[in-house]
Amino acid sequence: MKFAIIGAGNTGVAMAGHLTTLNQQFRLYDRNKQKVEKIKKEGIVLKGVLEVETDVEITDDIEFAIEGADYIMVMTTANGHREIGEQLAKYVTDSQVILIFNGNWGAVEIKEELKKAGKDKIVIAETGAQIYISAHIEPGQAELMTIKKAIDIASIPSDAVDRITEELKDIYPQFNAVSNVLETSINNSNPTYHLPIVLFNAARIDAKQPFKFYGEGASEKVVRYTEKIDEERMKICDNLGIKGVRALDIINSFWDVKHDNIYDTMHLNPVYNKGYAPLTFEHRYLSEDLPYGIGSLVKLAHKYDLEVPYLENLVTSLSLFLGRDFLEIGPDFKNFSVEDYL
């Protein structure tokens, strides 16, 4: 099996280190030429639950990166999915599988780009969460805090997922096949957890006051808001005929120790207790979780005439606070039909 890893950020480095320990062949890609040159000279370093220091094959040429790969592993943030899809559409072949980690509607966006290029036969898959929890140290170096115990995966076409899980079972035994990519994208718990904490601690972030994101940022009232937006997300699922999974159940599926409520998942999980809040709004919680997570839910609700006041308030308040309309970013769902993905 040969892999192409698209994106040499902290999760891409984590994947490269992980695949190295499993003696898998891969080629790493990043568009940042300076980063690529650094990694060519110094290799990658992974610390934490896996200790890896190794040279890797890396390139800033995406055509070369995916040449001969069986699986193209997309490890960029959600705001890069459409651009990656546009680039891959030029070179990907029918025998290759595109697998997006932490989908966030990535399969929908990349499918649209491949369709424009007349490549409708390409299999696309996405996971419902990022399997690696890792932190950036410096370009080419990351700390891997954990690899999740289970994550959902789905595909386009939907029946291809069984082949994918079978082919990758020795590398990712955590994969749990679900019915379709609507489930993997809409059952993403990260936005549900992250954005209420960001909104109700915005002044602390703006003042660059360090605090533990979950431990100190998630008060009982903040968690209550989280529960409200999760209820609205489940209402969207019910109305669209998508199998919804509660945020609490999603988070519990990742770990051996289960909790009875969202507050305890945030405060008692030792992995989450290590995490500090961002000290800038130029962060994936805003660039990814807001437009592709919460914003996408609001747009779907508008499309199907559903009332979601808690979700709408979250997007509106952060958009007004930061002076940017986050509903203008991400999938627009103008040509979206649920039936196309079932």
Side-chain angles (χ1 to χ4, degrees):
M1 198 76 67
K2 295 182 180 179
F3 299 90
I5 303 173
I6 307 301
N10 58 302
T11 55
V13 168
M15 176 176 280
H18 183 210
L19 292 183
T20 296
T21 67
L22 298 175
N23 298 312
Q24 298 296 319
Q25 290 182 281
F26 64 88
R27 188 175 289 146
L28 189 57
Y29 164 84
D30 201 275
R31 66 182 180 179
N32 185 318
K33 294 180 183 294
Q34 188 175 6
K35 183 191 294 184
V36 168
E37 289 305 313
K38 181 179 186 296
I39 294 174
K40 277 183 179 179
K41 292 177 183 177
E42 302 175 7
I44 62 164
V45 176
L46 188 63
K47 301 179 180 180
V49 297
L50 293 178
E51 296 282 340
V52 180
E53 187 170 348
T54 184
D55 293 332
V56 296
E57 186 176 10
I58 185 169
T59 179
D60 61 0
D61 181 342
I62 199 165
E63 180 181 11
F64 176 64
I66 71 171
E67 183 181 344
D70 300 294
Y71 280 85
I72 300 167
M73 316 289 257
V74 179
M75 303 299 288
T76 67
T77 53
N79 57 346
H81 288 159
R82 187 172 291 278
E83 180 184 346
I84 289 297
E86 184 179 1
Q87 294 178 47
L88 290 176
K90 302 172 186 175
Y91 311 114
V92 66
T93 66
D94 289 353
S95 64
Q96 296 177 303
V97 176
I98 299 172
L99 175 48
I100 307 152
F101 277 73
N102 199 9
N104 272 316
W105 305 101
V108 171
E109 291 196 304
I110 289 180
K111 175 183 167 64
E112 290 176 355
E113 293 304 317
L114 295 182
K115 187 176 182 179
K116 291 177 188 176
K119 295 190 174 182
D120 288 344
K121 295 181 180 180
I122 307 296
V123 174
I124 308 167
E126 69 173 29
T127 64
Q130 178 53 256
I131 195 167
Y132 304 105
I133 295 185
S134 58
H136 175 79
I137 298 175
E138 62 176 77
Q141 298 188 22
E143 179 186 2
L144 179 59
M145 289 177 275
T146 192
I147 301 176
K148 289 177 181 173
K149 302 297 183 183
I151 58 169
D152 289 345
I153 183 172
S155 65
I156 306 171
S158 56
D159 59 1
V161 70
D162 292 331
R163 171 172 69 88
I164 294 169
T165 55
E166 176 64 24
E167 289 181 347
L168 299 181
K169 65 182 180 181
D170 293 334
I171 302 169
Y172 293 111
Q174 300 96 329
F175 283 169
N176 172 52
V178 297
S179 298
N180 55 69
V181 297
L182 302 183
E183 289 186 27
T184 46
S185 278
I186 208 165
N187 289 318
N188 181 351
S189 60
N190 282 349
T192 305
Y193 274 56
H194 294 160
L195 271 306
I197 299 176
V198 170
L199 173 61
F200 295 112
N201 290 275
R204 298 168 82 177
I205 296 171
D206 197 31
K208 301 188 183 302
Q209 295 176 359
F211 65 95
K212 286 190 175 181
F213 189 69
Y214 296 101
E216 297 171 347
S219 69
E220 290 185 5
K221 284 187 171 61
V222 171
V223 171
R224 195 172 304 135
Y225 197 99
T226 294
E227 292 168 344
K228 290 293 186 182
I229 65 172
D230 198 49
E231 289 173 9
E232 292 181 347
R233 181 181 64 83
M234 293 295 290
K235 181 169 76 171
I236 294 170
C237 290
D238 290 342
N239 276 269
L240 271 62
I242 301 169
K243 182 181 178 182
V245 183
R246 296 184 310 154
L248 175 62
D249 295 330
I250 296 170
I251 291 294
N252 275 335
S253 73
F254 298 155
W255 315 109
D256 291 329
V257 178
K258 317 298 182 184
H259 296 288
D260 295 330
N261 58 75
I262 289 178
Y263 185 88
D264 284 348
T265 67
M266 293 184 178
H267 288 261
L268 300 180
N269 189 316
V271 175
Y272 294 149
N273 277 330
K274 294 178 183 177
Y276 278 82
L279 299 181
T280 173
F281 294 108
E282 298 299 319
H283 191 275
R284 66 182 178 86
Y285 294 164
L286 283 306
S287 64
E288 181 172 60
D289 290 347
L290 185 52
Y292 292 88
I294 302 300
S296 291
L297 292 173
V298 170
K299 283 185 275 191
L300 280 173
H302 289 171
K303 183 178 179 72
Y304 293 96
D305 297 320
L306 303 174
E307 293 186 4
V308 287
Y310 286 88
L311 286 164
E312 285 183 339
N313 175 68
L314 195 53
V315 178
T316 300
S317 296
L318 284 168
S319 292
L320 292 172
F321 183 77
L322 297 171
R324 185 179 184 187
D325 186 355
F326 285 94
L327 289 180
E328 291 184 346
I329 309 168
D332 58 28
F333 297 111
K334 288 178 181 176
N335 300 314
F336 174 81
S337 172
V338 172
E339 290 73 21
D340 291 340
Y341 298 93
L342 299 182

